[in-house]
């Protein structure tokens, strides 16, 4: 199963969710419809050669969630976070994220995740994630920054996204992301990814996305059409 979880709400602001859930850090969602773009913002997913996936994992655990509209806080305990270990044991993972609505439409969020591997000193993965989003109405602007510490090596990335809903049935997204891949790909290896997505709502239940992405990465560029 990709995901299956339950939620118990103590009140309208606080709940516990438990089961197999999507990891919590990152601006982009994972479920369609409603995505600003179908492709991932970042071209690089794997960490070193140990099958660790840095983003968009579904993991087993429990998460406490609080959000009163002005301030939000989430704290999770999981069997895994980055695809390193999928059993409940000493190698547990934690994540914490805090968000604040600065003014109506302007939201900021900070998050941290840690995956511990007890059998080796350097088998730890840490992620720091921060994003700022502005949504005054039809316009959405977002800026995101990540730093990963993967087995002692550092990887960082940033993303800028702009989406505008021109009319009820048509919107468009432009997205740019940059990744510093030196530790995993080689010296002076960076990736720059540009995406343009046209989003059509044909009916209340039928959506059509037309999307093009270009990734500049050594030794070859990559073009994708969806």
């Amino acid at each position: 199963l990709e995901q299956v979880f339950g939620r118990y709400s103590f009140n309208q602001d606080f709940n516990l969710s438990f089961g197999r859930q999507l990891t919590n850090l990152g601006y982009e969602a994972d479920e369609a419809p409603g995505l600003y773009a179908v492709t991932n913002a970042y071209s690089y997913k794997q960490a070193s050669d140990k099958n660790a996936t840095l983003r968009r994992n579904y993991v087993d655990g429990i998460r406490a969630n609080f959000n009163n509209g002005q301030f939000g806080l989430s704290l999770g305990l999981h069997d895994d976070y980055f695809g390193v270990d999928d059993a409940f044991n000493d190698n547990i993972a934690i994540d914490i994220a805090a968000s604040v609505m600065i003014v109506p439409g302007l939201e900021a969020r900070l998050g941290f995740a840690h995956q511990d591997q007890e059998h080796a000193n350097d088998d730890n993965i840490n992620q720091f994630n921060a994003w700022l989003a502005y949504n005054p109405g039809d316009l959405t602007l977002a800026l995101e920054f990540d730093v990963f510490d993967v087995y002692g090596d550092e990887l960082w990335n940033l993303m800028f996204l702009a989406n505008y809903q021109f009319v009820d049935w048509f919107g468009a997204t432009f997205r740019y992301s940059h990744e510093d891949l030196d530790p995993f790909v080689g010296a002076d290896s960076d990736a720059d990814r540009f995406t343009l997505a046209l989003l059509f709502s044909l009916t209340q239940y039928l959506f059509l996305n037309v999307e093009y992405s270009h990734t500049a990465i050594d030794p070859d560029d990559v073009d994708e059409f969806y």
Side-chain angles (χ1 to χ4, degrees):
L1 292 173
E2 182 180 64
Q3 63 174 323
V4 55
F5 62 91
R7 179 181 293 116
Y8 181 81
S9 297
F10 295 89
N11 53 51
Q12 64 178 4
D13 298 332
F14 178 64
N15 66 74
L16 289 177
S17 54
F18 47 90
R20 189 165 184 80
Q21 307 172 67
L22 182 68
T23 51
N24 204 22
L25 302 190
Y27 177 74
E28 293 189 304
D30 195 52
E31 298 294 329
L35 297 178
Y36 296 112
V38 174
T39 56
N40 294 333
Y42 308 104
S43 59
Y44 193 74
K45 300 177 183 178
Q46 298 300 118
S48 186
D49 58 350
K50 300 187 179 183
N51 298 319
T53 306
L54 297 180
R55 303 176 181 89
R56 287 184 169 183
N57 294 316
Y58 288 90
V59 298
D60 300 320
I62 185 169
R63 181 178 291 135
N65 310 284
F66 172 83
N67 195 309
N68 63 5
Q70 181 68 32
F71 175 77
L73 182 65
S74 174
L75 176 63
L77 179 66
H78 313 281
D79 65 335
D80 187 20
Y81 203 83
F82 300 101
V84 180
D85 190 352
D86 59 359
F88 281 106
N89 49 39
D90 292 334
N91 303 327
I92 61 172
I94 61 171
D95 69 318
I96 183 170
S99 60
V100 59
M101 189 68 67
I102 302 171
V103 296
L106 180 61
E107 182 178 5
R109 188 171 190 183
L110 297 176
F112 175 78
H114 172 79
Q115 171 76 52
D116 184 39
Q117 294 291 96
E118 190 178 67
H119 65 272
N121 291 332
D122 62 346
D123 275 358
N124 296 321
I125 305 178
N126 298 311
Q127 178 188 5
F128 170 77
N129 173 267
W131 58 256
L132 182 69
Y134 180 56
N135 177 223
D138 294 329
L139 175 66
T140 299
L141 300 174
L143 183 66
E144 179 177 51
F145 178 72
D146 283 295
V147 175
F148 293 90
D149 182 357
V150 183
Y151 311 133
D153 292 320
E154 188 173 284
L155 165 71
W156 66 270
N157 59 253
L158 60 85
M159 180 200 72
F160 169 75
L161 179 145
N163 170 271
Y164 191 78
Q165 191 69 33
F166 293 93
V167 291
D168 291 342
W169 55 270
F170 174 66
T173 298
F174 170 79
R175 185 184 64 200
Y176 165 74
S177 62
H178 174 84
E179 298 169 89
D180 176 34
L181 305 177
D182 293 0
F184 306 126
V185 179
D188 299 324
S189 293
D190 297 325
D192 292 288
R193 185 172 174 87
F194 301 87
T195 299
L196 177 63
L198 306 179
L199 316 174
F200 300 90
S201 299
L202 303 182
T203 72
Q204 183 180 356
Y205 308 104
L206 181 61
F207 305 90
L208 172 66
N209 293 2
V210 180
E211 185 170 327
Y212 169 75
S213 286
H214 173 80
T215 304
I217 182 172
D218 292 334
D220 300 308
D221 293 349
V222 178
D223 293 288
E224 302 166 75
F225 179 76
Y226 296 86

